[in-house]
Every structure is written in C-alpha cells, then in structure tokens.
Amino acid sequence: TERVRTEQELRRHNCELALLNRASWAFAATLDLEQVLTTVLEETRELLDAVACSIWLRDAETQELVSRQAAGPQSDLVQGWRLAPGEGLAGWVARRGESLIISDAKVDERHLEDVDRATGLETHSVLTVPLKANGGTAGVIQVLDTAVNRFGAADRALLESLAASAAMAIENARLYQEADRLRAFNQN
C-alpha cells in the first residue's frame, strides 16, 4: 500500500540515479561525437522506457535542426532529417530553450506529421528538452511514445539532468572534432 508505493518510488529513484551516473561516466570517457550521441540515446530510452528518441543539433550555418541520431522504429529514416528554425516541437524547444511535454501530439498544431508518415509511428506523447551549451541551445533531445499522456514532470526533470551532462559532452566532442579538423588542415 503506502509503504509498497514508497519502496517502489525509492527503487525507481535509485535506478534513475545509477543510470545518470553511468551516463556521466560514459560521456566523460570519449570525445567521439557519434559515440556520445549513441550513449545519450541508449540512456534516454532506458531511463524513460520510450518507443523512440532522437537528438537534433543546430547546424551552425543554416540554423536548421538536424536529426543527428535516432533510436526506435525506422530510426534510419529520421537521421539526417532537417527542420527549419522554429519548425515542429523540436524547433519550438530549440528556439525558446524551454522543455516541453505534449500529452497528445495529434492535437498540437506544432507537431509535424511528416515524420510519423515516413516512419509509420503514431506519435502521441512527446517530451522535448533543450541541450544548452555555452549560453545557447545547441539542440534538443526528443522522446516519443505511442501512448497518450505518457510523460510527466518527473520524466522531464530526469531528462533535463541527462541533457545537462549530454550537452557538455556533445560540445566537448564537437570542439575536439573541430580542433582535429584544423590540425589535419594545417598539416597539409
């Protein structure tokens, strides 16, 4: 009853802390951007037991959001997808730098049906959290589910914690990649 519920909440909280700790260690262990993105998605799907998730990063030249990594059904179709600045739920979050929980995307005018049509996934619940780095928003993590009203405030807080660590790891990996590119250019 009450004691059982409290014990279940405590177990869940302990699992969440262990996953966040594991994610932080994984982020610190590599400067390979693709490995960082893969780790972020693996931890996100495990943390939230979601159907699909993706990471969208801002293209410095066009300011578009680009789906750099995705996990879930037909995720290969989502990778590389581009959104104009402010477009869709991901664009809305990236522009405002605020997290967003949508209980049913089918009734939200910001939701883009194009990705659903391409993947065959009927998205209802959406949780989108900004990846904040260097005073701005570098991109977003987006988590999707086919059930209505799947995500709540506790899920948002958990994903925001993961996103804070992930944003630093992504920025470090990007800087390393850029330095490596410049080093190679200068050697030629």
Side-chain angles (χ1 to χ4, degrees):
T1 55
E2 182 63 30
R3 179 178 175 196
V4 171
R5 190 179 64 75
T6 302
E7 288 174 354
Q8 288 173 335
E9 286 179 22
L10 184 58
R11 272 195 294 279
R12 179 182 173 189
H13 185 66
N14 286 339
C15 287
E16 290 170 353
L17 288 174
L19 284 169
L20 287 172
N21 187 37
R22 209 168 50 244
S24 293
W25 277 101
F27 297 155
T30 185
L31 288 171
D32 180 301
L33 182 59
E34 295 310 312
Q35 182 59 45
V36 169
L37 297 176
T38 298
T39 300
V40 170
L41 289 184
E42 288 172 358
E43 296 299 335
T44 299
R45 282 191 78 192
E46 188 172 342
L47 277 170
L48 299 175
D49 190 29
V51 170
C53 56
S54 54
I55 295 177
W56 299 74
L57 298 179
R58 189 182 310 273
D59 182 307
E61 292 178 22
T62 66
Q63 296 303 303
E64 294 174 309
L65 282 182
V66 181
S67 176
R68 287 293 307 267
Q69 195 71 266
Q74 305 292 331
S75 58
D76 56 321
L77 296 175
V78 178
Q79 272 184 257
W81 201 289
R82 291 181 165 270
L83 297 175
E87 185 179 24
L89 297 169
W92 189 94
V93 168
R95 178 170 279 164
R96 286 165 182 76
E98 303 170 15
S99 297
L100 181 65
I101 298 173
I102 301 296
S103 59
D104 191 356
K106 298 295 181 201
V107 297
D108 192 299
E109 64 188 31
R110 297 167 292 187
H111 176 64
L112 297 176
E113 294 283 335
D114 296 352
V115 177
D116 285 3
R117 279 192 288 277
T119 63
L121 185 67
E122 180 132 347
T123 302
H124 285 282
S125 294
V126 181
L127 171 58
T128 310
V129 172
L131 292 164
K132 295 182 180 183
N134 296 331
T137 301
V140 301
I141 298 176
Q142 189 165 68
V143 185
L144 311 172
D145 206 273
T146 55
V148 174
N149 205 26
R150 172 72 172 62
F151 305 113
D155 298 314
R156 181 185 65 229
L158 186 60
L159 191 55
E160 286 172 345
S161 293
L162 180 66
S165 295
M168 287 188 292
I170 290 167
E171 186 62 21
N172 287 342
R174 279 179 147 179
L175 290 172
Y176 179 78
Q177 219 175 33
E178 181 64 18
D180 202 38
R181 188 187 67 73
L182 289 173
R183 206 172 16 259
F185 179 77
N186 288 334
Q187 289 178 351
N188 291 332

